[in-house]
Amino acid sequence: MDLVQKDLQHIWHPCSQMKDYEELPPIIIDHAKGLYLYDVDGKKYADVVSSWWCNLLGHCNPRINNAVKNQIDKLEHVIFANFSHAPAINLCDSLSRLLPKGLTKFLFTDNGSSAIEAAMKMSFQYHYQTGQPQKTRFMALSDAYHGETVGALSVGGVDLYSQIYKPMLLDIIRVDGPDCYRCRYNQHRDSCQAQCFADAEAAFAEHADTVCAFIAEPLVQGAAGMRIYPPLYLKKLREACDKYKVHLIADEIATGFGRTGKLFACDHAGISPDIICLSKGLTGGYLPMALAVTTQTIYDAFYADYGEGKAFLHSHTYSGNPLACSAANEVLAILKEEQILEKANENAPYFHQLLLDSLADHPHVGEIRSIGLINAIELVADKSSKQPFDSGKRIGYQIYKKTLAKGVVLRPLGDVLYFNPPLTIKRADMPAIIQVCRECINEILG
Ligand SMILES: *Cc1c(COP(=O)(O)O)cnc(C)c1O
């Protein structure tokens, strides 16, 4: 039996209607290098979505490979309660110098969703232990995405993922977030005053007494369709959180490590959250690891004699895995020594311009938005009214299948096609990828 048949016999793939695989069977990848994946038949695919936004510096980066190989012969894993090791210590030491100010206490988890859960529990327990036990609820933006576990899914606002589970989810205070392409105030994100923050302001005024934290994806709401909003909104959010004594949890799982052109998206607004969640690019996309990083103030509220029962009794078996830490340390070294971000920022306007030249005039391209190397193409049925396609037509998915045939992994979010390539993508790789994108849009939409 060949690999595809065995796969279909045994494997339940993530975020997939498995019946779709009858028509589009799994592509069996044999090896990868840089931007490209190679399947078992030798066919090459440009991984322009960075394998779900995690591959930061290309596949099988020789330096990261070596770092992990060296680590594995020394220490593969060790219990992280009472024990520690240099890779984790050095990682936190380096990150504390790079993160927004004040984020100095590091809690390890093993995936993004679990970092969100940890952040939520941390904020909840902080308020419980500092004489504000009535602050138990969370505020979050419409169309937010924070992961798939029950707490993370609760703060998420993408109905596609959460609707069915509503009866088992937390009751969240949902704020109408920024939707710049279809701005309710008829403004443009480059020049607005974040007027849409009014909805958040009203929700703070009404509910803040019972709220422990506001969670948001800074500047880019990824799963919502790479929705990009201005730093001013984030600044206003920080100010409101201060005013109403609500923690700000920044979910930088997708935006961290240079994806937006700065090391962290919060840096665009010059703000520091009370807790930041990191994963995906953290290990260069090599190994599952995540962090919830917080302030001395929050940490101190848990620091007491054992008998007071104030400890944060949250743990994951693979906390602080040395292999993942060794990958992460090498990622930080490469970012610095090879001026990765500087080079990515030189290439980003070039990439965006190529896309504009190729597709801005297309009758079904509503908007091409970008930040850093992230570029998203929102397809619409009608450009002037911004009317979306009927979702049942699965336009994005039809185009995706065409691009796969032509060797580009342009996995869409609904009818938003997006590029979120490794920061190391070369200019020479860009025209062919955009050409495929354009051809496939035309094949489906004429
Ligand atoms: C991917 C993602 C998560 C969830 O991370 P997992 O490792 O998939 O659990 C949470 N928030 C954002 C913004 C993400 O992009």
Side-chain angles (χ1 to χ4, degrees):
M1 201 190 288
D2 77 357
L3 284 173
V4 169
Q5 279 171 308
K6 271 194 196 162
D7 177 289
L8 292 174
Q9 186 182 343
H10 296 297
I11 298 181
W12 197 343
H13 286 272
C15 204
S16 296
Q17 170 48 265
M18 291 309 301
K19 192 159 191 287
D20 283 347
Y21 286 51
E22 286 178 13
E23 203 197 323
L24 179 62
I27 297 162
I28 315 292
I29 295 302
D30 179 70
H31 62 281
K33 187 75 202 158
L35 178 65
Y36 296 98
L37 309 170
Y38 299 85
D39 74 11
V40 286
D41 301 320
K43 184 172 172 186
K44 178 176 162 183
Y45 297 85
D47 185 4
V48 295
V49 297
S50 293
S51 282
W52 261 341
W53 324 347
C54 66
N55 184 273
L56 194 71
L57 301 169
H59 290 278
C60 284
N61 180 293
R63 287 187 61 177
I64 306 175
N65 285 12
N66 264 328
V68 176
K69 284 177 199 167
N70 289 337
Q71 183 57 42
I72 205 167
D73 280 332
K74 260 180 111 175
L75 174 67
E76 82 302 338
H77 187 65
V78 62
I79 179 172
F80 207 52
N82 278 122
F83 291 81
S84 196
H85 47 78
I89 297 163
N90 292 335
L91 176 62
C92 299
D93 189 47
S94 305
L95 275 175
S96 66
R97 292 164 218 276
L98 299 169
L99 283 165
K101 254 213 202 89
L103 296 166
T104 55
K105 296 291 179 185
F106 293 74
L107 186 105
F108 285 84
T109 69
D110 46 21
N111 64 76
S113 305
S114 66
I116 299 290
E117 303 279 339
M120 290 171 68
K121 287 171 67 182
M122 207 182 265
S123 175
F124 179 97
Q125 189 172 341
Y126 169 90
H127 288 94
Y128 179 81
Q129 288 174 185
T130 54
Q132 309 161 82
Q134 76 287 357
K135 281 179 160 291
T136 58
R137 300 183 70 194
F138 296 88
M139 291 168 80
L141 296 175
S142 48
D143 297 301
Y145 181 82
H146 299 295
E148 302 293 347
T149 51
V150 173
L153 197 61
S154 298
V155 281
V158 181
D159 279 349
L160 175 66
Y161 305 124
S162 57
Q163 187 63 38
I164 291 174
Y165 309 102
K166 285 276 153 76
M168 61 189 278
L169 300 182
L170 300 171
D171 183 24
I172 298 300
I173 297 154
R174 185 74 54 199
V175 167
D176 270 339
D179 183 1
C180 299
Y181 173 49
R182 295 184 174 84
C183 179
R184 306 188 285 284
Y185 294 82
N186 270 313
Q187 302 290 309
H188 192 274
R189 63 167 80 74
D190 295 336
S191 54
C192 75
Q193 295 304 308
Q195 285 90 338
C196 60
F197 191 75
D199 295 277
E201 184 65 51
F204 272 106
E206 188 180 348
H207 297 290
D209 290 351
T210 60
V211 172
C212 57
F214 195 119
I215 182 166
E217 297 155 271
L219 300 204
V220 186
Q221 291 193 290
M226 297 293 168
R227 281 198 198 163
I228 299 166
Y229 66 88
L232 184 57
Y233 190 94
L234 203 56
K235 264 192 200 156
K236 289 188 176 186
L237 182 56
R238 175 70 272 182
E239 285 165 15
C241 284
D242 286 339
K243 178 174 162 194
Y244 290 100
K245 305 219 174 332
V246 167
H247 286 149
L248 176 58
I249 301 173
D251 177 353
E252 292 235 23
I253 291 166
T255 52
F257 302 97
R259 293 293 187 188
T260 66
K262 292 194 186 275
L263 202 50
F264 300 101
C266 284
D267 297 339
H268 290 272
I271 61 123
S272 285
D274 300 282
I275 308 173
I276 196 169
C277 297
L278 306 172
S279 189
K280 294 200 164 112
L282 171 65
T283 63
Y286 268 60
L287 288 151
M289 183 166 77
L291 287 165
V293 192
T294 191
T295 60
Q296 185 75 44
T297 307
I298 291 181
Y299 178 84
D300 284 345
F302 295 74
Y303 199 87
D305 288 333
Y306 183 81
E308 290 184 41
K310 288 188 170 175
F312 191 47
L313 296 181
H314 182 103
S315 62
H316 292 288
T317 308
Y318 284 100
S319 296
N321 177 259
L323 299 175
C325 290
S326 70
N329 279 320
E330 197 62 20
V331 165
L332 294 182
I334 295 170
L335 283 173
K336 186 171 161 199
E337 289 160 23
E338 300 183 17
Q339 286 101 46
I340 298 293
L341 200 46
E342 293 78 354
K343 289 179 197 161
N345 283 338
E346 281 169 21
N347 289 335
Y350 175 80
F351 188 48
H352 185 58
Q353 192 58 47
L354 281 183
L355 256 184
L356 289 178
D357 292 348
S358 171
L359 280 162
D361 292 339
H362 194 284
H364 291 293
V365 170
E367 185 181 50
I368 303 177
R369 46 185 177 260
S370 79
I371 184 167
L373 278 164
I374 297 173
N375 278 267
I377 305 165
E378 179 147 354
L379 299 170
V380 289
D382 185 285
K383 203 161 171 157
S384 56
S385 67
K386 304 182 180 177
Q387 174 72 32
F389 285 104
D390 168 6
S391 66
K393 286 189 175 160
R394 303 183 78 190
I395 297 292
Y397 184 69
Q398 307 299 335
I399 295 169
Y400 168 59
K401 286 194 287 185
K402 295 274 183 200
T403 66
L404 282 179
K406 293 179 196 261
V408 177
V409 186
L410 209 56
R411 196 174 200 276
L413 295 154
D415 293 336
V416 176
L417 305 172
Y418 69 91
F419 300 83
N420 188 5
L423 301 182
T424 48
I425 188 173
K426 297 185 183 65
R427 286 192 185 201
D429 293 314
M430 296 172 181
I433 290 162
I434 290 172
Q435 174 74 14
V436 166
C437 175
R438 185 193 155 86
E439 281 170 18
C440 295
I441 289 175
N442 282 334
E443 280 175 34
I444 298 298
L445 293 173

